Amino acid sequence: MKTKGLRWWVVSLVALATVINYVDRNALGVMWPAISEELGMDKWDYAFIVNCFMVGYLIGQSAFGKIFDAIGTRLGFVLAIIGWSVAVALHAVVRTAFQFSVVRFAMGVAEAGNWPGATKSNAEWFPISERALAQGIFNSGASLGAVVSAPLVAYLYLVIGWKATFVLLGGLGFLWLVPWLIVFKSGPDSHPWLSAEEREHILTGQRVPGEGGEESLANTYAPGWFEMLKHRQSWSVIASRFFLDPVWWLFVSWLPLYLVDQFGFDIKQIGLFAWVPYVGAATGAIFGGWLARHLLQRGWHVDRTRKTTIAVGGILMFPALLATTYAFTPLLAVLLIAVILFGFQIAIGSIQTLPSDFYSGESVGSLAGVGGTAAVVGVMFMNFVIPAVTETSWVPAFVIGALLVPLALLSVWLLARKIEPVTP
């Protein structure tokens, strides 16, 4: 049996896993007003629990980068999604901040695997010209999960309570495993459902023109961790993720609490408003991928394409973050945040594609994982800062977010210099 467009089925399943990933992780924030009131916890407890998740996420990014390189994409995703699904279900039986921190830590380790796994999957299954679009589809899963999570979790909470909601959400990952194990039988070089035409399209598309017009493999250099870190190109990924990802997590982790503090929202109102910014994020993920593909098809070099796309995202984010400090109505606030996340997804899609631009598939997952670890470190710093700076106003949080954007862009321009395959 041959399946037309099998690579799009693969990336769609990865995107669906990401939807589940974000529904699971956002559930705590959406239901936190009720959980904290019932169990007697406050914003500092929440910050501690979130950072325990981030510590696990930090460890999981680098660990799963190596795991995916070692056991492959198919089994790597199985291990990751079983781990986080069990952890989210266990939220139903914990009662203290420490117990929450333990299950969030375990959940963070497993959920982190989704990102290096997706980057590696896209490097395996897509030609260079389509990788940014594939990354955009994958990233739209994160945004769609955030769109769905607020109203879905709020509804489930109102119907069955917070404990049963966590158990129900934990079952989603196990349902996802069924189509994944059926569809992802092997890589594109040997998959029995892949047509000869699509296999040729994928494998030959992973070559780029060399000097004199010859074609050469785009990625033939596969250094180990320590050798990889000797190259400034690797540090462009690490530094840009460190500076940019805290902007995304500012809203993923703290948007419900911002709406509670700033506008006095309850869980039902959070469900009605908190999904809006992620529509912008989902649109930005697809648009950023389309833009990169369009520019490459027009003959632009990979270097010019990636930098242009990243710059467009940054130019949108910076003024919108500053404008959010003047948002005095909830509708204006969520619309401005939608612009911020639209720009973020445009930029991050190309940044997350850089590992496959620099190295071969054997090192892509590792660099993606290390970059994800750096992102988590940046997010943890932000999480420690937010409770302190938002005692009376959320303005300092948005100003800090705005300042991080140019630092992320400069990391790519100054460290990567020219985006092309790295040579020993």
Side-chain angles (χ1 to χ4, degrees):
M1 179 182 72
K2 302 299 181 183
T3 302
K4 186 177 181 180
L6 185 61
R7 67 194 187 281
W8 300 109
W9 284 98
V10 171
V11 75
S12 296
L13 281 173
V14 174
L16 180 58
T18 312
V19 172
I20 297 170
N21 189 298
Y22 262 79
V23 170
D24 289 349
R25 78 172 60 176
N26 287 354
L28 180 65
V30 173
M31 296 188 289
W32 182 252
I35 295 172
S36 60
E37 182 178 357
E38 179 179 331
L39 302 180
M41 291 185 278
D42 58 22
K43 187 187 293 186
W44 288 98
D45 291 318
Y46 181 76
F48 175 73
I49 293 167
V50 169
N51 266 348
C52 286
F53 173 89
M54 299 311 302
V55 171
Y57 205 71
L58 181 152
I59 295 170
Q61 286 279 353
S62 292
F64 267 100
K66 295 299 289 185
I67 288 170
F68 272 90
D69 284 341
I71 69 175
T73 307
R74 186 175 190 259
L75 293 180
F77 267 108
V78 171
L79 181 61
I81 203 161
I82 289 177
W84 89 61
S85 297
V86 171
V88 73
L90 288 175
H91 283 59
V93 301
V94 300
R95 295 293 180 271
T96 66
F98 175 77
Q99 292 170 348
F100 268 106
S101 70
V102 172
V103 295
R104 293 301 282 189
F105 173 84
M107 183 179 172
V109 172
E111 281 207 345
N114 198 64
W115 270 256
T119 301
K120 186 174 180 65
S121 175
N122 290 343
E124 291 173 344
W125 279 89
F126 287 89
I128 293 169
S129 63
E130 294 177 347
R131 282 180 188 166
L133 178 59
Q135 196 72 29
I137 293 171
F138 156 67
N139 282 337
S140 71
S143 305
L144 181 59
V147 169
V148 171
S149 63
L152 174 63
V153 172
Y155 173 78
L156 290 174
Y157 164 78
L158 293 172
V159 174
I160 61 177
W162 64 269
K163 300 180 186 69
T165 296
F166 279 122
V167 174
L168 185 61
L169 295 180
L172 295 178
F174 290 95
L175 293 176
W176 177 88
L177 287 173
V178 177
W180 176 253
L181 292 173
I182 292 172
V183 171
F184 201 116
K185 296 182 180 297
S186 67
D189 55 341
S190 59
H191 199 293
W193 294 2
L194 197 62
S195 68
E197 293 79 9
E198 187 173 7
R199 181 177 288 109
E200 180 73 8
H201 174 73
I202 293 169
L203 298 181
T204 60
Q206 294 175 350
R207 298 172 179 268
V208 293
E211 294 183 8
E214 308 96 349
E215 283 195 340
S216 61
L217 283 175
N219 312 87
T220 58
Y221 181 40
W225 263 359
F226 294 108
E227 185 180 356
M228 183 173 63
L229 294 178
K230 295 178 181 178
H231 296 283
R232 53 180 169 73
Q233 291 91 339
S234 300
W235 287 98
S236 72
V237 176
I238 294 167
S240 60
R241 294 292 306 275
F242 174 84
F243 290 122
L244 196 62
D245 277 63
V247 178
W248 172 258
W249 285 89
L250 171 62
F251 301 105
V252 170
S253 296
W254 294 94
L255 178 59
L257 276 71
Y258 163 70
L259 294 174
V260 170
D261 286 352
Q262 190 75 10
F263 304 109
F265 275 20
D266 58 23
I267 292 180
K268 183 178 179 180
Q269 291 169 310
I270 290 171
L272 291 173
F273 276 83
W275 62 272
V276 175
Y278 299 102
V279 175
T283 307
I286 298 298
F287 175 77
W290 171 86
L291 177 62
R293 183 185 185 189
H294 174 70
L295 295 177
L296 288 170
Q297 288 178 337
R298 290 186 59 185
W300 283 35
H301 189 276
V302 170
D303 175 71
R304 185 183 178 192
T305 298
R306 300 283 187 252
K307 288 179 179 176
T308 298
T309 307
I310 294 167
V312 168
I315 290 168
L316 289 169
M317 293 170 66
F318 183 79
L321 277 159
L322 294 178
T324 306
T325 62
Y326 296 98
F328 299 114
T329 67
L331 180 60
L332 178 59
V334 295
L335 289 176
L336 283 169
I337 295 169
V339 175
I340 295 166
L341 299 188
F342 178 83
F344 175 88
Q345 288 292 347
I346 292 174
I348 200 66
S350 284
I351 290 174
Q352 289 175 332
T353 307
L354 294 179
S356 62
D357 292 328
F358 293 144
Y359 302 113
S360 82
E362 297 175 6
S363 294
V364 169
S366 296
L367 180 55
V370 175
T373 296
V376 172
V377 173
V379 173
M380 290 177 63
F381 279 122
M382 179 70 89
N383 286 337
F384 280 123
V385 167
I386 287 176
V389 302
T390 59
E391 289 290 343
T392 58
S393 170
W394 280 78
V395 168
F398 298 129
V399 171
I400 292 170
L403 294 176
L404 292 174
V405 174
L407 294 175
L409 269 61
L410 286 172
S411 298
V412 176
W413 262 256
L414 297 180
L415 293 172
R417 298 183 190 173
K418 186 175 183 179
I419 298 170
E420 60 185 357
V422 177
T423 56

